Amino acid sequence: MKRAFEIFGLPDFCRAYVSLRSGGNSTGNFDSLNMSFKNDDYQAVLGNRILFSKEIEIPVRDFVFCKQVHSNNALLVREKDRGAGSISINTAIPDTDALYTTIKGCALSVLIADCAPVFFACRRTKGIAIAHCGRAGSTNGLIGNVIDHMKADFGSVPKDIFAVIGPHISAKNYPIPENSAKKIISDFSDTSGIIKSDDIYKLDLSVRIESELLKAGLKSTAISKNIRCTFDEDETFFSERRQGAPCGRMIATILST
């Protein structure tokens, strides 16, 4: 049974994966390969992470997690951070939604269940990054912050950066409140991804994120989109919109080799 699929569209010095829903130890709304320690049995989740790590051949101790808060914060991962959050939520890097590094073998990771993981890799500096990007992240400058940090800390230039938008909830399944849609429209000259039909507003995360990547200077040919929908594929992915809260989470992860 497959517990992960590989993400393509990045330079060959790095690997990236997203875990799947099946093949784990958790039960109920967390059935079965839940990767989040929050609200689930600790031993079940730890076992799930070990199963995933064995399949993709990355030791659990090399994963780095953050406590996601729908912010636009991006943090530089150093060697001392290797293993943060890998076996305990208490050791995860606090209050951030994106991680970036040039350290080989550190598996930068976020947890997803409808929000999009965005994978970044600079072919020249060998810098990598990952972002947890939902409605907030796609409108609060998270994507631009990641690129700015890669430029400032690694010397990356946008034309050398590749990005892949991972699986997430599709626009047809993602209605948003009218006041949220109107705030986005009023706050930004770019209203990419905002769809209105029969007085219902919906958000296309992939369109929104791609627009942010292009504004940050990435080439369109360096941006890839995985169009698999977490809401529609109920046997493959967890989806909080579909299942309600609490529910399980998948891991999205990237590392340089």
Side-chain angles (χ1 to χ4, degrees):
M1 176 180 293
K2 285 183 65 63
R3 296 184 174 92
F5 73 90
E6 190 167 3
I7 295 292
F8 296 102
L10 297 167
D12 60 8
F13 72 86
C14 60
R15 294 190 284 146
Y17 302 90
V18 173
S19 67
L20 302 176
R21 182 180 177 181
S22 301
N25 304 296
S26 298
T27 59
N29 239 25
F30 303 105
D31 181 26
S32 64
L33 195 69
N34 172 38
M35 295 298 183
S36 173
F37 289 117
K38 189 175 181 180
N39 298 316
D40 197 4
D41 178 76
Y42 173 80
Q43 291 298 332
V45 176
L46 181 60
N48 293 342
R49 290 191 175 190
I50 291 170
L51 288 169
F52 174 65
S53 73
K54 287 181 176 178
E55 176 157 328
I56 63 175
E57 299 180 331
I58 300 172
V60 170
R61 65 179 179 275
D62 287 338
F63 286 85
V64 181
F65 291 88
C66 53
K67 294 181 181 178
Q68 299 159 200
V69 291
H70 298 282
S71 69
N72 63 1
N73 299 331
L75 183 129
L76 175 63
V77 170
R78 306 178 188 276
E79 184 59 44
K80 68 179 178 62
D81 300 311
R82 189 187 293 265
S86 62
I87 62 171
S88 170
I89 193 172
N90 295 325
T91 61
I93 295 169
D95 300 334
T96 191
D97 285 84
L99 302 169
Y100 63 103
T101 196
T102 53
I103 298 174
K104 289 185 177 181
C106 270
L108 308 183
S109 305
V110 295
L111 297 170
I112 56 168
D114 283 331
C115 292
V118 187
F119 307 85
F120 305 79
C122 177
R123 62 185 175 186
R124 185 173 61 84
T125 65
K126 303 297 191 290
I128 60 171
I130 193 167
H132 159 254
C133 194
R135 182 174 71 203
S138 69
T139 58
N140 66 9
L142 175 62
I143 297 299
N145 278 356
V146 172
I147 302 299
D148 286 345
H149 280 294
M150 293 179 75
K151 289 160 59 178
D153 292 340
F154 305 156
S156 296
V157 293
K159 69 180 181 64
D160 291 325
I161 297 175
F162 288 74
V164 178
I165 303 167
H168 56 276
I169 191 168
S170 60
K172 69 175 183 177
N173 296 311
Y174 196 11
I176 61 174
E178 181 177 353
N179 62 334
S180 296
K182 288 185 174 179
K183 183 174 184 349
I184 294 170
I185 292 168
S186 67
D187 287 353
F188 298 91
S189 57
D190 175 12
T191 57
S192 300
I194 302 293
I195 301 166
K196 183 181 180 183
S197 177
D198 298 327
D199 292 325
I200 296 175
Y201 288 90
K202 295 184 178 182
L203 181 61
D204 190 322
L205 280 176
S206 63
V207 169
R208 186 85 205 168
I209 295 168
E210 182 178 26
S211 175
E212 292 295 296
L213 291 166
L214 291 170
K215 283 194 293 185
L218 271 67
K219 297 188 295 186
S220 59
T221 54
I223 301 170
S224 302
K225 292 185 287 187
N226 185 301
I227 60 173
R228 298 183 69 171
C229 175
T230 51
F231 187 100
D232 282 342
E233 296 190 48
D234 60 325
E235 294 185 1
T236 305
F237 300 118
F238 293 105
S239 168
E240 188 167 307
R241 282 273 177 146
R242 184 186 68 243
Q243 297 174 255
C247 75
R249 294 291 188 272
M250 292 86 67
I251 286 177
T253 190
I254 183 172
L255 80 162
S256 62
T257 56

